Amino acid sequence: MSTGVFDPLRGQLLDAARAFGGDSGEDGVARLLAALVDDVDRALAEELEIFPVCHHSPASALAMARRLREKRPKVVYLEMCEDFAPLLAELKNCRLPVALQSFANELDGFPKKWAPLSVVAPITEASAEYQAIAYAQETAGVELVLVDRSTDHVYQWDLRDEDASGAEANAVPDAVPAPSGGVGADDEDALHGDAVGVEIGDLRPGFAELEEHLLHHGKVRHWSEWWDQYVEQPLTGADYATYRQVMTLIGSLFRRLDPHSRNLRRNELRERHMWTRMREHIAATGADPADCLYVCGASHAVSRVDEFGLHPEKRDGPDGSAEPFEIAPRTATKWRYGLIPSSHSAIEAQFGLASGSVSIAAATFAKAVKRGGVKPFRLKGQRGVSAAGKKKAAAAPPVDAAATDRLSGFLSSPPALDPLDESELLGWCVDIVGLARRNGYLASTADAIAVFETSILLAGMRGRTRPTPYDFQDAAVTCIEKDRVPGRRDVTRLCEILLGGDRVGQVGYESLPPLARDVLDRLEPLGLDLQKRTVQRALLNLDADPDLRSCSDLLWVLRRLLPDDAVRPIMGARELGERSIQESWDLAIGRNQRSLVELGYEGVTAEQVLERRLRRAVYDPKATAAAALRAVEDAVVYLGAQRFADELGARAVELLAAERTVDDAPEVLRRIRRLLAHYRATEPELPHWCREFVTAGYTHYCTLLPTAFVDDDTGVRQVAAMLGFLLGMESLALSLGCERAQLELAVRQSHPESPAKIALLWAAKSQLGMMPLADVRARCDELLASPLSIPSFPHYLSGFVQALDPAPSLAPLVVEVLSKAFGRLPDRMLLPWLPKLITTLKDHAREMVPVLVHEAARTFPGSLPALDAWTPSWSESAEAPGVGGAAPSVASGPVTDLLAGQPGACDAVASLLGHPVEWRPAAGTGEGGGEASALVARHPAAPGAVAALRVR
């Protein structure tokens, strides 16, 4: 029902619609304008005073401070998630901006793919919600009631919309997902992670054409600049009645021009929830509505839901009243709550604001406070909160915000423009030049003058008497940045720093979860202030100070849990069987406080969190044997928990037996080798799960080997890893009850077609004794001799290189084959293959390169002169006696002497293998005896002296 206060304004707007649009007043623009006035009239006539706000608006914060000091309400209803209420008392221990956070990692009632769930509500000093919170906590007898839906309902309604529309879930209005910290994401922009942001009073046109029209005619670049020029600046010094009516009108306009029905549906659900909670509270406490204040977003202030108001309209209920709104119960998901640091840039990135807009809003708020027009509320003892203005705020007379029409005067008269403050603008120009020079720009006094004049010029072109920070920023970029950015920061970023900076909040020690406090307490022996946001170097001499070993253990656990830049080792390593004597760390725990706080939601200590994560990883439906072995290794290295490692190892055996692919065979082989070597060196016997893993793996890979050889999707590296497992652990598997016939049968059933896998099969047969080495060499020679097979010979070489892992004894043959290939194949075939060979050796350098290099060093001469006279043992000239070069000499030594002294054993073995017996004289025998014999002959006294020394 209309109060009649705005009837003259309604008439003026209808006349204007008829005059300019030819509208009859029945529909179109006239009906929209009349509806806007009706919304304002209805909101102001409500018995419970509604305070419309916009998020992070200095005008809203100033008006809130004025109204609270004037009205002194006893109950403040605030649009914020109702389950955040216990966190508000912790704000006094923090430095703003911070964000209230709810976090859930184990879901019950939501799709598992949504995990983890996170909701944040940022709080800044220049915000209306902070003023309300500070007033309620610092004023005796005042109750603050949060009435918005819980964080559980945020996702419940999201799930309901997804089920109704069949579309993928998106963030709700006023609940915007933060950008993930991916490539190119700024460090401060990712402070909220991928949490859903809940904000009070999101005012932005949902009608894209309207926003484009406002930006074009306002001569501004983005929405934040338009809002600052046409709403914030005029309302900063306005009285409360004007502020309230204007904000309600804007909220009505944007709400009615929002074309997204999904936004409207969710907004209405929130409004029904809030009005239901407020009526329940008033009924339970008997509070007088005249002593209450309802703080909500401007778009919610003009709600048209049935529950609107303390006395909703009559509807079609059974008793003639409106049907009550039933609030669904929360799911069984266990939510954890805490405070995380926030920043101006994180808020801007979360809610799609222009870069620097929140910093400019904070500067505007601080300037208004300094002028003395209002005294804001502060939480006592809070760090980082600026002091109140020196000028005493004038007491404002009581205002009845609904008694008079302030909209007509505000809409019909231009805003009072502040005169040019030359001293402020000159200070900005001088400071930006100095800041630019420190960041590598060749700026001078002439640039400062140019920025000053350009700022005034731009303001005049945009119809402003006083240059705004946005005009100054544009002028600085035009005059200073020129054609390139010499450093890490561009001029736009420098202007943001100059005009207020990107304030980064911090959660106080008292408000941290138990895990975070435990981490800081246990790292206290390092003597560092780990709450600082700077990178600090920690030096640990573990031999000189054994008490630091506990700090080292915790740092390695945090290295496993926190982001890479939070805890970074500079010197030292922690691997199986390896412990460092000295360590050096770069610690940035204060900068990554959000990640540390979220760890506190998962457990009480860092070790408990790591244990839970490892157990969750191995029991995940998509877990693999390689992931389970990785978890076993982490449990041994970081936790030292043998029983827990045995549990994870048993799970690895189950996963390996259930796998139907061999994609992870290389990682499985590498990790099980490392674990077996560790247990053999540290334990009297292998754990039971290790023995089971070897036997299960032997059977598993024998079964899959024939299929893997012929499967095109299975790579050569995977087949080589399978052979490495089977051949490398054959002796252990046979001792545990496996049968070698199973492996031989699998190899005989393998019939590969690709050249690389054929070479692998030859290597496996040679290693098993199923194909003599001479036959493998002969087949390689045949391939090189045939013009048809030469183009595919590099693929055979790739297979032989991969065979170095399962059959390292074939290294001489691999060196020989590589040498023949490089000596005989044309460059047009070798050059395209070389990059593949190099990358293969690089990827598997630990397994292949040492074997290959050692064999090459043993085969080839070590000097250039010797290389010129050297003849390979596999060349034709070396194989034919008396044709070029002599037969290779036999190395001398104890083994050679023993064999020469007992020739019968060698003759018997040679006869058993079917080889002819050929004895060659050992090196150093016969005439001359070589260089060593000549040296001894020149110095006969030396052997006698050595013999006498050994006798003693």
Side-chain angles (χ1 to χ4, degrees):
M1 182 178 296
S2 174
T3 61
V5 175
F6 297 98
D7 287 345
L9 176 60
R10 183 183 293 104
Q12 293 178 27
L13 293 177
L14 291 177
D15 293 341
R18 296 188 187 98
F20 290 98
D23 204 299
S24 62
E26 300 295 332
D27 52 13
V29 177
R31 187 173 60 181
L32 173 63
L33 296 177
L36 298 181
V37 177
D38 291 341
D39 286 343
V40 176
D41 197 4
R42 180 170 179 261
L44 270 60
E46 173 56 36
E47 181 181 3
L48 176 61
E49 182 177 340
I50 303 175
F51 192 102
V53 301
C54 174
H55 63 225
H56 308 299
S57 164
S60 296
L62 295 169
M64 174 64 71
R66 294 191 188 99
R67 187 56 178 167
L68 290 175
R69 293 193 181 278
E70 172 191 314
K71 183 180 177 68
R72 292 290 175 178
K74 296 180 180 178
V75 179
V76 178
Y77 299 110
L78 182 61
E79 180 196 336
M80 187 175 289
C81 294
E82 56 188 3
D83 47 345
F84 279 156
L87 297 177
L88 300 181
E90 302 293 338
L91 287 175
K92 63 179 180 295
N93 301 321
C94 305
R95 183 172 65 239
L96 299 181
V98 296
L100 313 177
Q101 183 186 40
S102 61
F103 184 89
N105 199 29
E106 299 176 358
L107 309 186
D108 188 352
F110 298 110
K112 298 298 183 183
K113 64 182 180 180
W114 286 13
L117 302 183
S118 180
V119 176
V120 296
I123 302 291
T124 63
E125 183 183 353
S127 62
E129 56 264 40
Y130 175 74
Q131 294 299 311
I133 294 170
Y135 165 77
Q137 293 191 8
E138 299 299 330
T139 306
V142 176
E143 183 179 5
L144 179 65
V145 183
L146 306 186
V147 294
D148 200 1
R149 80 280 196 232
S150 68
T151 52
D152 194 272
H153 286 92
V154 170
Y155 287 98
Q156 278 192 43
W157 295 349
D158 197 52
L159 181 60
R160 182 190 308 176
D161 288 341
E162 183 182 14
D163 293 340
S165 63
E168 193 167 329
N170 294 317
V172 298
D174 295 338
V176 186
S180 60
V183 178
D186 188 79
D187 179 53
E188 307 304 342
D189 294 350
L191 280 178
H192 297 168
D194 56 356
V196 168
V198 178
E199 198 67 359
I200 175 173
D202 180 17
L203 282 184
R204 186 165 185 163
F207 193 41
E209 288 78 2
L210 173 61
E211 181 174 344
E212 182 181 355
H213 177 83
L214 294 175
L215 297 183
H216 174 71
H217 290 278
K219 300 178 181 178
V220 293
R221 294 171 301 167
H222 44 70
W223 174 251
S224 299
E225 186 176 357
W226 185 94
W227 181 266
D228 178 77
Q229 179 176 344
Y230 292 100
V231 179
E232 289 294 334
Q233 298 300 333
L235 290 181
T236 297
D239 59 84
Y240 172 63
T242 303
Y243 165 83
R244 187 183 180 196
Q245 295 177 20
V246 172
M247 289 294 290
T248 306
L249 179 68
I250 295 174
S252 175
L253 174 65
F254 292 166
R255 183 187 181 96
R256 289 185 176 274
L257 291 182
D258 189 351
H260 303 293
S261 59
R262 187 175 185 179
N263 292 349
L264 178 62
R265 182 172 61 253
R266 292 183 179 179
N267 272 338
E268 290 179 347
L269 284 174
R270 296 179 64 183
E271 291 152 3
R272 299 176 70 185
H273 184 285
M274 290 189 285
W275 280 108
T276 300
R277 288 299 193 209
M278 287 187 287
R279 283 201 301 272
E280 291 175 353
H281 181 268
I282 291 176
T285 62
D288 185 359
D291 294 331
C292 302
L293 184 66
Y294 172 34
V295 183
C296 66
S299 62
H300 299 308
V302 293
S303 172
R304 306 297 297 184
V305 297
D306 295 342
E307 288 76 12
F308 181 87
L310 298 182
H311 305 288
E313 300 174 4
K314 300 285 185 180
R315 296 299 178 193
D316 298 330
D319 57 352
S321 62
E323 287 287 345
F325 176 67
E326 294 184 3
I327 300 175
R330 302 181 189 179
T331 65
T333 298
K334 186 176 181 180
W335 292 89
R336 301 180 182 274
Y337 300 90
L339 297 167
I340 62 172
S342 184
S343 66
H344 291 168
S345 59
I347 296 171
E348 292 159 0
Q350 178 103 54
F351 299 100
L353 305 176
S355 179
S357 58
V358 177
S359 297
I360 292 175
T364 303
F365 178 79
K367 184 185 298 184
V369 170
K370 188 176 181 180
R371 290 176 178 174
V374 64
K375 182 180 179 181
F377 291 92
R378 318 281 189 186
L379 290 173
K380 293 181 180 178
Q382 187 171 27
R383 296 179 297 169
V385 176
S386 58
K390 296 181 179 179
K391 297 182 181 179
K392 185 177 181 180
V399 176
D400 186 0
T404 59
D405 175 16
R406 303 297 181 91
L407 273 178
S408 299
F410 183 86
L411 296 176
S412 60
S413 60
L417 301 177
D418 293 336
L420 174 63
D421 189 345
E422 291 192 0
S423 60
E424 179 188 56
L425 184 57
L426 283 174
W428 288 352
C429 296
V430 172
D431 292 343
I432 191 62
V433 168
L435 194 58
R437 290 183 65 85
R438 289 195 294 272
N439 283 268
Y441 290 89
L442 299 178
S444 63
T445 305
D447 293 307
I449 298 173
V451 173
F452 180 86
E453 297 295 342
T454 307
S455 300
I456 298 176
L457 176 63
L458 287 176
M461 294 173 61
R462 295 167 178 174
R464 307 168 186 168
T465 304
R466 175 194 182 97
T468 66
Y470 296 99
D471 298 324
F472 165 72
Q473 188 179 74
D474 292 343
V477 171
T478 303
C479 300
I480 297 178
E481 194 161 86
K482 307 297 191 301
D483 58 342
R484 67 184 186 90
V485 178
R488 185 170 59 93
R489 295 167 174 161
D490 56 15
V491 174
T492 302
R493 177 64 180 146
L494 297 179
C495 291
E496 295 170 14
I497 295 173
L498 174 66
L499 296 174
D502 183 18
R503 289 194 61 181
V504 180
Q506 185 181 39
V507 180
Y509 176 85
E510 299 81 2
S511 300
L512 290 172
L515 181 144
R517 293 199 298 268
D518 177 69
V519 168
L520 296 179
D521 293 342
R522 291 167 61 183
L523 295 180
E524 190 174 355
L526 298 179
L528 303 174
D529 185 2
L530 297 179
Q531 296 204 66
K532 290 183 177 179
R533 292 185 52 80
T534 56
V535 179
Q536 303 178 73
R537 178 65 59 87
L539 303 176
L540 286 73
N541 190 339
L542 303 180
D543 275 357
D545 192 353
D547 294 336
L548 295 178
R549 292 190 179 275
S550 59
C551 295
S552 173
D553 295 339
L554 178 58
L555 288 175
W556 284 110
V557 173
L558 293 177
R559 171 68 177 172
R560 178 64 171 74
L561 296 174
L562 293 178
D564 293 338
D565 61 332
V567 179
R568 187 165 60 93
I570 304 301
M571 180 180 68
R574 177 67 64 92
E575 295 180 358
L576 285 173
E578 182 176 352
R579 294 295 183 271
S580 303
I581 300 176
Q582 293 181 336
E583 294 177 355
S584 175
W585 295 83
D586 273 353
L587 304 180
I589 296 179
R591 182 181 298 175
N592 292 270
Q593 195 180 53
R594 178 188 67 85
S595 300
L596 184 62
V597 170
E598 290 184 351
L599 283 183
Y601 302 154
E602 302 183 46
V604 180
T605 63
E607 289 79 3
Q608 180 190 5
V609 173
L610 179 57
E611 180 179 340
R612 293 185 63 183
R613 288 191 180 182
L614 294 178
R615 182 176 282 110
R616 186 166 58 246
V618 299
Y619 285 99
D620 187 87
K622 297 182 179 180
T624 61
L629 291 178
R630 187 186 313 118
V632 172
E633 189 172 338
D634 289 343
V636 174
V637 171
Y638 300 118
L639 300 178
Q642 187 57 49
R643 182 178 300 177
F644 180 53
D646 292 344
E647 176 189 344
L648 300 180
R651 175 62 176 168
V653 176
E654 298 175 4
L655 293 172
L656 180 65
E659 286 184 352
R660 293 296 175 263
T661 64
V662 293
D663 295 339
D664 295 330
E667 187 176 0
V668 169
L669 175 62
R670 183 174 65 255
R671 293 190 179 277
I672 192 60
R673 277 178 176 173
R674 195 156 52 211
L675 287 167
L676 289 175
H678 169 73
Y679 285 123
R680 283 168 174 163
T682 58
E683 301 292 336
E685 61 179 4
L686 291 177
H688 180 68
W689 75 267
C690 281
R691 297 194 294 270
E692 288 189 346
F693 192 92
V694 172
T695 56
Y698 192 87
T699 303
H700 178 68
Y701 286 139
C702 282
T703 303
L704 297 180
L705 186 62
T707 304
F709 264 116
V710 298
D711 188 6
D712 293 336
D713 295 333
T714 304
V716 180
R717 178 56 185 160
Q718 280 70 30
V719 178
M722 295 172 66
L723 291 174
F725 188 99
L726 295 171
L727 297 176
M729 300 184 188
E730 183 182 11
S731 58
L732 178 59
L734 295 180
S735 67
L736 295 175
C738 296
E739 297 182 1
R740 194 169 196 256
Q742 188 177 7
L743 175 58
E744 293 179 352
L745 183 61
V747 171
R748 293 182 186 277
Q749 291 177 341
S750 301
H751 303 286
E753 296 180 358
S754 63
K757 292 182 179 180
I758 291 175
L760 273 178
L761 182 62
W762 292 348
K765 288 184 176 181
S766 175
Q767 190 74 4
L768 292 172
M770 301 168 60
M771 177 184 291
L773 192 61
D775 290 352
V776 178
R777 181 180 289 106
R779 294 190 180 187
C780 293
D781 293 338
E782 291 176 2
L783 292 173
L784 279 174
S786 173
L788 296 178
S789 60
I790 284 181
S792 61
F793 192 77
H795 298 286
Y796 286 93
L797 287 178
S798 298
F800 280 120
V801 171
Q802 295 283 357
L804 288 174
D805 183 19
S809 60
L810 294 179
L813 177 64
V814 175
V815 172
E816 176 183 339
V817 172
L818 282 172
S819 301
K820 290 179 178 178
F822 280 102
R824 301 178 186 178
L825 292 180
D827 291 344
R828 58 182 175 83
M829 296 181 183
L830 282 176
L831 292 179
W833 170 72
L834 281 178
K836 183 177 180 180
L837 174 65
I838 294 173
T839 55
T840 301
L841 294 176
K842 180 181 178 182
D843 294 340
H844 311 290
R846 180 176 298 182
E847 298 90 355
M848 301 177 184
V849 173
V851 179
L852 193 62
V853 171
H854 176 74
E855 183 61 31
R858 193 187 68 83
T859 303
F860 298 108
S863 61
L864 289 177
L867 184 62
D868 295 335
W870 176 72
T871 301
S873 59
W874 56 81
S875 65
E876 297 178 358
S877 58
E879 293 173 358
V883 180
S889 61
V890 181
S892 61
V895 177
T896 304
D897 297 340
L898 177 62
L899 294 177
Q902 305 291 334
C906 296
D907 295 342
V909 173
S911 300
L912 183 63
L913 296 177
H915 287 280
V917 179
E918 296 181 3
W919 286 95
R920 297 176 182 174
T925 61
E927 296 182 2
E931 296 182 1
S933 299
L935 180 63
V936 173
R938 289 197 301 270
H939 304 281
V946 173
L949 183 61
R950 294 189 62 182
V951 170
R952 294 179 186 176

